Amino acid sequence: MADAVIVVALLLVAGCATVAVLVRDPVRQALVLAVLGVVLAVLFTAVQAPDVALSQLAVGGALTPLLLLLSVRKVKRRKEHDE
């Protein structure tokens, strides 16, 4: 059973990483990165690394996408202000 979970998680990681590279819209990219962070946390939990999974969930699943979204928002505001 554990092997099946690991295989599924690895396939999801590969799929999410591919989508993150192919998506060109920064907002959608940030959302895909959030999903990728959660899937990686599931993978780390499946391979019995719960401390790494918690770190990945916090940083890769929440903090990094949030910072990216805030940066994109600030750039868009500055661009609108300059025009």
Side-chain angles (χ1 to χ4, degrees), residues 6-76:
I6 292 172
V7 169
V8 170
L10 283 171
L11 290 173
L12 286 173
V13 166
C16 287
T18 303
V19 171
V21 170
L22 295 177
V23 170
R24 293 291 176 207
D25 181 32
V27 174
R28 289 184 182 172
Q29 244 178 1
L31 295 174
V32 171
L33 284 175
V35 172
L36 177 61
V38 172
V39 171
L40 278 170
V42 170
L43 176 63
F44 292 142
T45 303
V47 295
Q48 298 178 356
D51 51 342
V52 179
L54 285 173
S55 298
Q56 177 62 33
L57 192 59
V59 175
L63 190 61
T64 303
L66 177 64
L67 289 174
L68 285 171
L69 286 173
L70 291 174
S71 299
V72 168
R73 181 178 172 196
K74 184 160 185 135
V75 168
K76 283 184 180 180

